[in-house]
């Protein structure tokens, strides 16, 4: 037998979950050039490690640990998380005065006239007042800076200077502008109105965003993530992602989606012209290298908690049914052009009315290549599961949203509809093409916390929709090989597969349920490199 060339990395564990149902038991792996080159089973580890280990081989020798494929989060916002690293950390606030104080502190070190933007990972229901701040209150924090208190991906509050600089005046189609009794903007903006405010912000320096990506992606790796699908990136942010990859500061694989709104498409002169403009910037599907790839486009068909398109009215706003942000004909035309030109599109559809419209549009388009059109969230998809399964459309679902937003959902929708979000059991039983994610930083990042929620349906507001729970093996599969399948890679720990793996001190498949909330990785490996642990 020829002695193999020394590996870049060798791993020995008590057990390796390859997630290949036909594979014999594995307890050791050898990695070269980012791929798994060889595996060994129980009793073979000592000879295997000796054969594959050289003077430069990185050795992870954890005979009491358990290895499984690194997690794949198919709907995440890494770039927004990177911006959060740089924004005012208002999630630390417990009430509006402390919220304003954090902005005041940032203003004291920011030159007058420069924008101040908060991190987006907060919610007003965590503040003692249980509401958003107003423009007048933000003005008390600083009168010398425009301020955007960004909350999640759909909402934000501007101070008076920000409202003026963003040109917020008349209502914006597809958007919401909160107004006082005299009709003057009060600061709170949603969806297309927020898009207008974001357009007024100066571009963040690439160097700063690259550092944010470095910090955020390192945190991701520490949670066992190997791959994310970044679901709302601007062309300028794509260039920062490329710079992070080129300088070795990206720690996880990132499959980027370019946020594409009706306003941006109209401004370009139509869908064909819009795609032409992206291609002219070097942006096209499959572009990228190393850990970075351009996946496709992101559309948003309805709002979030406050504006998801629902068949029945909101509990807290009688007569209000949410917002459809794309007219059906316009959505059909845009998706038709994207499919014709080979551009995958993920479409945010959270409420049942939005999910229904989207599935009807996809059916009307006729057969499309597998994985070309993706339902993002599919929150209240329960009544259309059979249609989604028949169409073969992929659905990315995020238990973390129910976990992180349950108080807001219950307040806005009442007790029944939040319990029916993300009906995992029915989707799996119907054979729907499905994967799991977090929508982080909107939802909690830790994938094992997501697995806990998928299997218990437990939230900070209690158990919601227990009948929709799935077993742990299904949940872990949806967070690994199912997501990898959407991205066209194996997702298993088999010879020839990418060496993306995570090592835990206990087995996520069998540990006590509550241990999922505290279990953390010892090591994470992406493309054969140790990106977390030593």
């Amino acid at each position: 037998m020829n002695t193999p060339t020394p590996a870049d990395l060798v791993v020995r564990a008590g057990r390796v979950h390859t997630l290949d149902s036909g594979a014999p038991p594995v307890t050791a792996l050898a990695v070269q050039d980012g791929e798994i080159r060889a595996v060994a089973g129980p009793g073979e580890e000592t000879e295997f490690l000796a054969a594959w280990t050289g003077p430069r081989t990185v050795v992870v020798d954890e005979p009491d640990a358990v290895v499984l494929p690194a997690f794949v989060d198919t709907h995440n916002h890494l770039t927004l998380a990177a911006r959060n690293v740089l924004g005012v950390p208002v999630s630390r606030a417990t009430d509006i005065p402390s919220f304003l104080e954090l902005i005041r502190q940032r203003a004291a070190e920011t030159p007058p006239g420069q924008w101040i933007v908060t991190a987006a990972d907060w919610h007003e229901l965590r503040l003692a007042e249980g509401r958003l701040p107003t423009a007048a209150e933000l003005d008390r924090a600083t009168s010398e800076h425009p301020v955007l208190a960004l909350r999640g991906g759909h909402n934000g509050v501007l101070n008076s200077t920000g409202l003026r600089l963003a040109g917020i005046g008349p209502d914006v189609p597809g958007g919401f502008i909160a107004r006082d009794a005299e009709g003057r903007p009060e600061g709170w903006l949603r969806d297309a109105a927020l898009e207008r405010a974001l357009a007024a912000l100066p571009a963040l320096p690439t160097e700063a965003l690259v550092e944010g990506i470095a910090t955020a992606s390192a945190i991701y790796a520490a949670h066992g993530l190997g791959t994310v699908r970044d679901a709302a990136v601007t062309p300028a942010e794509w260039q920062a992602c490329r710079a992070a990859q080129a300088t070795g500061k990206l720690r996880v694989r990132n499959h980027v989606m370019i946020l594409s709104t009706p306003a941006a498409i109209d401004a370009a002169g139509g869908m064909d012209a819009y795609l032409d403009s992206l291609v002219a910037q070097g942006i096209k599907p499959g572009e990228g290298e190393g850990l970075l790839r351009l996946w496709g486009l992101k559309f948003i068909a309805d709002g979030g908690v406050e504006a998801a398109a629902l068949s029945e009215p909101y509990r807290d706003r009688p007569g209000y049914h949410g917002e459809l942000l794309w007219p059906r004909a316009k959505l059909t035309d845009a998706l038709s052009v994207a499919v014709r030109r080979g551009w995958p599109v993920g479409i945010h559809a959270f409420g049942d009315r939005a999910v229904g419209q989207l599935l009807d549009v996809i059916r009307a388009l006729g057969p499309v290549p597998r994985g070309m059109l993706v339902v993002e969230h599919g929150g209240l998809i329960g009544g259309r599961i059979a249609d989604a399964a028949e169409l073969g459309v992929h659905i990315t679902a995020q238990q973390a949203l129910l976990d992180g937003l349950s108080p807001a959902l219950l307040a806005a929708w009442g007790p029944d509809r939040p319990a029916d979000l993300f009906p995992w059991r029915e989707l799996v039983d119907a054979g729907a093409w499905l994967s799991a994610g977090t929508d982080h930083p909107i939802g909690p990042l830790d994938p094992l916390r997501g697995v806990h929620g998928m299997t218990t349906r437990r939230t900070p507001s209690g158990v919601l929709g227990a009948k929709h729970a799935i077993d742990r093996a299904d949940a872990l599969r949806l967070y690994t090989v199912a997501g990898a399948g959407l991205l066209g890679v194996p997702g298993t720990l088999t010879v020839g597969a990418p060496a993306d793996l995570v090592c835990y001190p206990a087995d996520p498949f069998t540990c006590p349920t509550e241990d999922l909330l505290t279990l953390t990785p010892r090591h994470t490996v992406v493309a054969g490199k140790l990106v977390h642990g030593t």
Side-chain angles (χ1 to χ4, degrees):
M1 176 179 177
N2 294 329
T3 302
T5 303
D8 301 319
L9 169 75
V10 293
V11 177
R12 171 166 60 175
R15 180 171 184 178
V16 176
H17 289 285
T18 65
L19 298 193
D20 177 0
S21 59
V26 171
T27 50
L29 305 165
V31 175
Q32 288 177 334
D33 299 324
E35 291 187 355
I36 298 171
R37 296 295 192 211
V39 299
E44 304 170 341
E45 303 96 337
T46 300
E47 182 179 354
F48 181 84
L49 264 64
W52 283 95
T53 302
R56 298 184 179 179
T57 302
V58 175
V59 178
V60 174
D61 194 357
E62 301 275 4
D64 63 336
V66 175
V67 167
L68 62 153
F71 288 96
V72 179
D73 187 333
T74 53
H75 188 107
N76 189 287
H77 294 277
L78 172 59
T79 305
L80 179 58
R83 285 183 171 274
N84 283 352
V85 170
L86 307 172
V88 182
V90 292
S91 61
R92 300 174 186 172
T94 57
D95 52 23
I96 287 176
S98 58
F99 189 102
L100 300 178
E101 178 58 28
L102 289 164
I103 294 173
R104 191 175 293 115
Q105 292 172 11
R106 179 64 62 89
E109 59 190 42
T110 302
Q114 287 191 9
W115 278 85
I116 293 173
V117 182
T118 72
D121 56 344
W122 61 280
H123 198 282
E124 62 271 18
L125 292 185
R126 299 176 194 146
L127 301 175
E129 297 83 354
R131 63 170 176 84
L132 295 164
T134 65
E137 287 169 327
L138 294 178
D139 290 345
R140 297 206 296 266
T142 176
S143 60
E144 298 183 336
H145 307 80
V147 176
L148 171 60
L150 185 63
R151 197 266 277 162
H154 294 267
N155 294 269
V157 183
L158 290 172
N159 70 348
S160 296
T161 303
L163 287 168
R164 176 176 56 81
L165 292 179
I168 301 301
D171 287 340
V172 179
F176 167 80
I177 301 171
R179 300 182 185 277
D180 64 17
E182 284 73 42
R184 294 171 298 201
E186 290 186 308
W188 176 25
L189 310 175
R190 191 172 65 221
D191 294 316
L194 177 63
E195 181 187 351
R196 176 169 293 183
L198 292 171
L201 295 177
L204 189 66
T206 297
E207 298 79 8
L209 188 52
V210 166
E211 291 306 314
I213 291 170
T215 299
S217 63
I219 293 169
Y220 280 34
H223 282 82
L225 288 163
T227 300
V228 298
R229 189 161 156 270
D230 195 345
V233 176
T234 67
E237 289 169 340
W238 164 251
Q239 300 306 331
C241 292
R242 296 195 69 169
Q245 160 62 35
T247 55
K249 294 184 176 180
L250 183 61
R251 298 288 185 268
V252 298
R253 298 185 192 272
N254 190 12
H255 293 252
V256 166
M257 305 165 69
I258 299 297
L259 179 61
S260 305
T261 64
I265 293 166
D266 287 346
M271 190 64 182
D272 273 304
Y274 176 72
L275 295 182
D276 289 343
S277 71
L278 293 180
V279 173
Q281 299 172 69
I283 300 173
K284 56 186 177 181
E287 191 72 18
E289 59 185 8
L291 302 181
L292 181 67
R293 289 291 183 275
L294 196 291
W295 182 82
L297 305 178
K298 165 71 175 297
F299 289 0
I300 301 177
D302 68 339
V305 175
E306 298 83 11
L310 305 179
S311 298
E312 298 298 323
Y314 278 61
R315 177 186 185 181
D316 61 347
R317 282 169 288 172
Y320 181 69
H321 290 255
E323 305 290 342
L324 287 171
L325 303 180
W326 283 78
R328 175 169 174 162
K330 192 168 190 174
L331 179 62
T332 302
D333 177 69
L335 292 179
S336 176
V337 173
V339 169
R340 170 169 55 80
R341 295 187 54 167
W343 280 79
V345 186
I347 307 98
H348 166 117
F350 197 50
D352 60 330
R353 195 157 56 99
V355 171
Q357 174 183 265
L358 176 57
L359 291 176
D360 289 344
V361 166
I362 292 173
R363 182 177 295 280
L365 290 174
V368 300
R370 183 172 170 82
M372 181 69 71
L373 301 178
V374 174
V375 177
E376 308 292 339
H377 309 306
L380 292 177
I381 198 172
R384 300 298 297 268
I385 289 174
D387 290 333
E390 180 189 347
L391 289 169
V393 65
H394 191 93
I395 305 154
T396 69
Q398 304 81 34
Q399 183 71 26
L401 284 178
L402 186 57
D403 185 352
L405 297 176
S406 57
L409 286 160
L410 290 167
W413 297 6
D416 297 330
R417 284 174 292 194
D420 283 334
L421 279 170
F422 312 121
W424 300 101
R425 179 75 274 150
E426 294 85 343
L427 285 162
V428 170
D429 288 349
W433 190 20
L434 179 67
S435 63
T438 63
D439 205 18
H440 182 79
I442 317 305
L445 177 64
D446 187 4
L448 290 187
R449 180 169 172 174
V451 169
H452 179 274
M454 294 161 74
T455 55
T456 67
R457 299 289 293 196
R458 197 174 305 161
T459 77
S461 303
V463 174
L464 297 175
K467 66 181 180 181
H468 303 309
I470 53 175
D471 63 38
R472 203 179 301 183
D474 278 337
L476 286 163
R477 177 184 62 81
L478 293 175
Y479 251 119
T480 52
V481 291
L486 171 62
L487 300 173
V489 295
T492 55
L493 297 180
T494 51
V495 174
D500 296 354
L501 57 92
V502 58
C503 176
Y504 285 97
D507 193 340
F509 279 85
T510 59
C511 70
T513 299
E514 295 312 297
D515 288 0
L516 292 169
L517 297 174
T518 57
L519 190 59
T520 57
R522 288 181 180 171
H523 310 279
T524 305
V525 173
V526 177
K529 294 184 178 179
L530 201 60
V531 292
H532 168 68
T534 57

